[in-house]
Amino acid sequence: MKLAKGDKVAIVCCSNGKSLSKKKEIENLKVILEEMSLIPVFSKYIYQKISLEEVENFPESGSPLEKARELMEFYEDASIKAIFDISGGDLANTILPYLDYERIASVKKQFCGYSDLTTIINAIYAKTQKVSVLYQIRNLLYE
């Protein structure tokens, strides 16, 4: 995958949403990507939803259908050159039934993720023969 200056990259969480305590880290990732002359476009489903009744964080940042629909929107958006998933956990498999593998196969775009995102990486390969990347873009935050 070759990215050029000014390319837009999608940042998603197809598995467990990030805790609000990670907001500064994610803001730092945005800065790093912008310093690399990339334009990050963040999903609406990055952060965990909070239950006001139970005052408890849930790992879900959106329903499986919501997250899959938005992922497909990023695949369909020609201005997005790559998709990086910054999640991990145990929810990635829940979006698989909602992905449009024919559409994924038809676009020149790679999906990158790690941990349980291998379920999405493997499904994309099995259904489309498209190679995805096992990588966590949050590694850019660390030396």
Side-chain angles (χ1 to χ4, degrees):
M1 166 186 358
K2 184 173 182 181
L3 296 172
K5 289 182 178 181
D7 280 350
K8 287 184 181 178
V9 296
I11 308 297
V12 300
C13 279
C14 293
S15 188
N16 295 41
K18 305 307 288 175
S19 165
L20 286 175
S21 67
K22 298 289 184 183
K23 190 169 184 147
K24 182 70 173 162
E25 178 181 293
I26 293 167
E27 289 170 356
N28 288 341
L29 177 62
K30 179 181 186 286
V31 169
I32 289 168
L33 292 171
E34 289 170 343
E35 287 172 351
M36 296 171 67
S37 300
L38 297 173
I39 302 167
V41 179
F42 286 84
S43 165
K44 297 179 291 229
Y45 306 107
I46 295 292
Y47 297 102
Q48 296 173 343
K49 292 182 177 183
I50 299 174
S51 166
L52 297 177
E53 299 82 60
E54 298 177 14
V55 192
E56 179 181 325
N57 285 334
F58 289 94
E60 294 89 359
S61 57
S63 74
L65 180 58
E66 289 171 325
K67 293 186 288 185
R69 281 186 177 158
E70 190 175 50
L71 178 60
M72 291 311 307
E73 287 174 15
F74 286 134
Y75 269 107
E76 293 167 359
D77 183 339
S79 71
I80 300 290
K81 302 304 179 192
I83 301 168
F84 294 95
D85 196 302
I86 61 172
S87 65
D90 54 10
L91 299 174
N93 63 323
T94 63
I95 75 162
L96 297 179
Y98 306 109
L99 298 181
D100 181 344
Y101 295 100
E102 287 183 27
R103 183 67 183 135
I104 291 170
S106 71
V107 296
K108 187 178 180 182
K109 197 172 298 191
Q110 284 189 310
F111 178 88
C112 306
Y114 86 118
S115 186
D116 83 316
L117 280 299
T118 56
T119 60
I120 296 172
I121 289 170
N122 290 337
I124 289 171
Y125 183 75
K127 303 250 185 193
T128 69
Q129 299 301 295
K130 281 186 74 164
V131 176
S132 296
V133 179
L134 185 62
Y135 178 71
Q136 176 51 267
I137 198 162
R138 287 186 302 130
N139 288 340
L140 295 174
L141 294 168
Y142 314 109
E143 291 185 29

